[in-house]
Amino acid sequence: NQDSPASVGLNQAQSSASPFHSTRPAIPGRQPIALILAHGDAATEVGAQEAGGQNVYVRQVGEALAKLGWQVDIFTRKTHPDDEPIVQHSPHCRTIRLVAGPQAFIARQELFEYMPQFVEAFQKFQSKEGTNYPLVHTNYWLSAWVGLQLQAESNIQLIHTYHSLGAVKYKALAARSPMQQIRLAVERQILEQASCVVATSPQERETLQSLVSEQGCIEMVPCGTDLENFRIIPKMEAREQLGLDPTEQIILYVGRFDPCKGIETLVRAVAMSQARVKGNVRLVMAGGSDAELGDGQERQRIEKIVQEVGLTQQTLFSGRLGHDVLPLYYAAADVCVIPSHYEPFGLVAIEAMACGTPVVASDVGGLKFTVIPEETGLLVPAQDKAAFAAAIDRILTDELWATQLKEQASVRVRQNFSWSGVAIELSNLYRRLLAQSLLDERLWSAQLPSPWGTEVSQVNVPSA
Ligand code: UDP
């Protein structure tokens, strides 16, 4: 029953005077849980400053968990004085913007110093609302640090999703900055101390175990996609709506402008491809950038390479595209290329496949999990422009095979990667952890009986 969560009642010491006092008050309605994404606003438009897969994940997971019976509060940092402090997404899912540092955009590399203020603001919010979140799910390492402080102060179940891993990002660096060292230490600590961390692919689980720590609980729950939005649309219909040439072969990139996304490899691969030699290729690049920020610098660098390899006429920089129009771009494309150096998951791959667009991706991380070579696309070594060129050409020159890939790609996503399925798995994990923690409290109180006796308290946990 999704709307009236079942109650799991377990004995626990509840007297406020008791030394065995539980941090959890009995909650009459839904069980509130906190999702934290300190550096990104799940209420903002995807593709805006630093908004990428993490924002999509937190918002989609939050809304899907609310549909399953939880009260979901998503916490972020307020980045503009005019922004509403609370945005209600649906009856039981909202974003809460906490004041931590200047109310202005601050790049994630500069944000760590404001995280103590974030913890303080979170605790003030809890006291004001009279709520104690028994379960906190953090996202990205900055929020992991926040979660670890909360865990040190109260009995919470702490879950973490990494989204990006310092251990992979800094692997090739000869020396690491003090901030990079802090990130690595926090990423290790959260794995060893959280109730559980969520790996979004089997590859991410292996990476965590081999590069971060052998200790810790890891559950594999993939990312998902909105199957109603990302769907098959006839190619020519999409091109007509977008004003794209029906005769061209369209190669699509969707994502942030960041050197680790490997866009340079894609541009150089297109320049080498047979499709380019034949002269009917169009490279479409979707993603926002701001001239003042790091993504603006990367975009400028890419534009220079486009010019240098003689692709200016064939390249379209569409800027940031909303999820309302993105399905048309995926559908209009003949192939979607994901040339990332590393991806723990890579949402773009499943969005493209859900729209029936074959994917050529780097043979790394979560892309190895989502893309089935020869069935839904092709995997090639990261940064190998000749291999990318050959793979793109294979798909562009074999129409019959491309049609097969299209069908198989869409079936794979439909069967494995829906947000509602992801939310069910996360919900089951939360329920297990909360039930276990209540049991632990009960055992603890049973061993050391309270002079005031125990009262039955209920925590309302959505039923399976
Ligand atoms: N995205 C978007 N508009 C754009 C570019 C990207 O909505 O112009 C979205 C894209 O649809 C996907 C997310 O940004 O949902 C990128 O997620 P992914 O996991 O591929 O990469 P990340 O940003 O997490 O590195």
Side-chain angles (χ1 to χ4, degrees), residues 46 52-53 56 254-256 261 286-287 319-321 323 326 346-348 351:
V46 182
V56 174
V254 176
R256 291 178 295 115
K261 289 287 179 184
R320 187 193 70 77
L321 298 175
H323 274 196
L326 254 175
L347 283 175
V348 167
E351 290 169 4

Side-chain angles (χ1 to χ4, degrees), residues 26-164:
I27 293 152
R30 292 174 165 236
Q31 176 62 63
I33 52 173
L35 304 188
I36 302 184
L37 180 67
H39 74 285
D41 190 337
T44 202
E45 285 187 88
V46 182
Q49 286 166 334
E50 295 212 344
Q54 306 184 31
N55 303 56
V56 174
Y57 177 92
V58 172
R59 173 76 177 269
Q60 295 285 345
V61 156
E63 294 209 36
L65 285 167
K67 282 190 190 144
L68 291 177
W70 303 86
Q71 167 61 45
V72 182
D73 287 348
I74 303 172
F75 288 87
T76 189
R77 203 183 68 83
K78 197 158 180 259
T79 57
H80 198 281
D82 296 341
D83 282 348
E84 291 294 329
I86 297 185
V87 181
Q88 198 74 42
H89 301 302
S90 57
H92 299 286
C93 177
R94 57 186 181 163
T95 285
I96 294 147
R97 296 178 170 132
L98 302 176
V99 176
Q103 292 186 46
F105 173 78
I106 300 174
R108 60 180 93 172
Q109 297 78 358
E110 318 290 329
L111 262 184
F112 184 61
E113 63 174 295
Y114 302 110
M115 289 302 103
Q117 290 179 43
F118 193 95
V119 173
E120 213 177 297
F122 181 89
Q123 281 162 334
K124 269 196 194 143
F125 182 86
Q126 284 198 119
S127 327
K128 204 175 108 221
E129 294 259 311
T131 308
N132 271 321
Y133 297 96
L135 187 141
V136 175
H137 185 156
T138 56
N139 294 272
Y140 193 63
W141 77 271
L142 290 164
S143 306
W145 186 86
V146 170
L148 287 164
Q149 311 317 302
L150 299 173
Q151 190 194 41
E153 285 171 30
S154 54
N155 175 26
I156 56 164
Q157 294 305 299
L158 179 60
I159 326 291
H160 181 66
T161 306
Y162 284 85
H163 298 284
S164 149

